[in-house]
Amino acid sequence: MLLACGWLGNLASIALSLPIPGSVVGMLLLLLFLVVYGGVPKGLAKISAQLLYLLPLLFLPAAVGIFFFRGLALSDWLALLTAIIAGTLISIAICALLLKKMLQRTGTDKHE
């Protein structure tokens, strides 16, 4: 199912000349399927758990790639670090707000 959604997303992105990457379209297709299905099938949950377990391995090439940027000027490093720190803080804040909203919807938020 994951491969099919990824493939269909790439196909749709190319066929419709969308400015969105095919992988994003595939994830939207997967989300649509899960909403229509009403949950996550057991097989998909099992495979997804394994992929999440291995997710840090996907970040190793990016971390190793940093070593090729040794020639950047100090101002470039400052901009890069600022973007990384700001992006991380924004991501954490958005995740926290979404979690709070979801907990309020389910009635499990004890700090209301």
Side-chain angles (χ1 to χ4, degrees):
M1 184 179 299
L2 293 174
L3 290 175
C5 285
W7 182 76
L8 286 173
N10 283 329
L11 186 66
S13 180
I14 292 169
L16 300 173
S17 298
L18 298 175
I20 302 170
S23 56
V24 174
V25 175
M27 289 186 64
L28 291 173
L29 289 172
L30 180 63
L31 175 64
L32 179 68
F33 168 77
L34 294 175
V35 168
V36 170
Y37 186 77
V40 181
K42 288 181 184 179
L44 182 60
K46 187 175 181 180
I47 294 297
S48 298
Q50 288 297 317
L51 287 174
L52 285 174
Y53 177 74
L54 298 172
L55 191 62
L57 292 176
L58 298 176
F59 292 108
L60 282 177
V64 170
I66 292 285
F67 290 108
F68 292 108
F69 292 122
R70 283 182 277 184
L72 289 177
L74 183 59
S75 62
D76 294 333
W77 276 106
L78 186 59
L80 184 62
L81 286 175
T82 303
I84 290 171
I85 292 169
T88 301
L89 293 176
I90 290 169
S91 297
I92 290 171
I94 289 173
C95 287
L97 290 172
L98 287 174
L99 179 61
K100 183 177 180 180
K101 187 84 161 170
M102 289 173 59
L103 289 174
Q104 286 174 347
R105 276 190 165 182
T106 60
T108 56
D109 188 9
K110 296 177 181 157
H111 300 290
E112 291 182 359

